[in-house]
Amino acid sequence: MRKLLTIPRGKLASLSIDLQEEHRHDQRYQVHAYDRVLANAARLQQAARANGVPVLHCAYIVDTAEARTRPFHPMMADGSSAFSDKSSPLSAICPEVAPLDGEPVLVKSDASAFCEGSLAGRLRADGIEWLCIAGVWTEACIDATVKDAVRLGIRVLLAKDACGSATPAMHQTGILNLANRLYGGAITDTDGACRLIGGEDVDVWTIEGSVPLRFSFDSAAAAYSHL
């Protein structure tokens, strides 16, 4: 269903997830329309900074020398990580969305931004109740972060066009699947999210009941457009 939403001042933070160079340059991990995703994420960051909303960044960086590397993690023949390796220059955050001085960067070695344990405590200490999320990949790290946020009682504002994956189908079905589980949160586009960050009332999509969106291969794109 759709409803008007206002997010109280001081209760919102912005989080950009894994907006790293490998999704632009590594053919194995390229994100469809990545430049557009980056541009929308940058707009969210700019709106947050202009309105005193905390801007946080997250980067997926794997150090295979650390014992915490997860079981079955894909590896290269030389022992480095198949993606997001600590020694790879492609693990750098893209300059369009790079952190400014004083903006925290959370380094993680698994999908969820909450996996290292410090994010939830940081948000609670700052009185944050809402987290505006952008980044990649929709069905992987965005999905894991959103579900952990919901589990921890943090409301998610998901900016659907500031997220992306390898193909439109992967991205759109990822957003739709999240929409069916986004209890307490809302989905909008970058325009709507920027207005919410600015303190406006915005018409957004919110879940009512359980699993309200039922879609097929043929209807997924239309369902996505209505969020």
Side-chain angles (χ1 to χ4, degrees):
M1 64 173 293
R2 303 196 68 85
K3 71 173 187 179
L4 279 179
L5 174 67
T6 307
I7 299 179
R9 291 282 184 180
K11 299 300 183 182
L12 174 67
S14 171
L15 176 64
S16 298
I17 298 175
D18 301 352
L19 293 172
Q20 294 160 261
E21 288 288 0
E22 66 185 342
H23 305 299
R24 174 153 46 200
H25 295 294
D26 190 328
Q27 291 186 352
R28 299 171 299 171
Y29 307 119
Q30 284 179 339
V31 167
H32 174 78
Y34 194 38
D35 286 347
R36 185 170 67 238
V37 172
L38 291 171
N40 287 335
R43 286 179 57 203
L44 294 174
Q45 292 176 359
Q46 292 160 6
R49 292 166 184 144
N51 287 278
V53 170
V55 177
L56 297 89
H57 308 259
C58 195
Y60 200 140
I61 298 177
V62 180
D63 184 353
T64 56
E66 294 186 1
R68 63 183 178 179
T69 301
R70 62 183 181 179
F72 313 120
H73 184 85
M75 306 285 285
M76 303 295 286
D78 63 1
S80 62
S81 172
F83 58 86
S84 304
D85 190 79
K86 182 180 181 180
S87 63
S88 172
L90 298 185
S91 292
I93 294 175
C94 296
E96 301 97 315
V97 290
L100 301 185
D101 288 346
E103 293 177 353
V105 179
L106 308 170
V107 175
K108 62 187 179 70
S109 59
D110 210 332
S112 174
F114 291 93
C115 73
E116 303 301 337
S118 64
L119 178 56
R122 179 191 296 269
L123 297 176
R124 290 193 180 106
D126 292 341
I128 300 299
E129 298 175 359
W130 281 87
L131 196 57
C132 179
I133 289 180
V136 299
W137 284 23
T138 310
E139 78 286 1
C141 296
I142 300 301
D143 180 274
T145 300
V146 169
K147 288 177 178 175
D148 274 352
V150 172
R151 176 178 60 83
L152 292 165
I154 298 165
R155 298 180 185 273
V156 171
L157 175 64
L158 187 58
K160 66 178 185 177
D161 56 348
C163 299
S165 189
T167 69
M170 292 168 71
H171 166 67
Q172 290 174 6
T173 56
I175 291 289
L176 289 168
N177 284 326
L178 281 173
N180 275 332
R181 302 291 188 278
L182 195 56
Y183 305 118
I187 294 178
T188 187
D189 58 13
T190 298
D191 288 340
C194 287
R195 291 170 56 207
L196 282 163
I197 289 169
E200 295 184 41
D201 297 339
V202 177
D203 183 56
V204 299
W205 190 91
T206 61
I207 186 170
E208 182 178 88
S210 178
V211 197
L213 295 171
R214 298 184 181 271
F215 56 92
S216 66
F217 291 116
D218 294 332
S219 65
Y224 174 85
S225 70
H226 290 303
L227 293 176

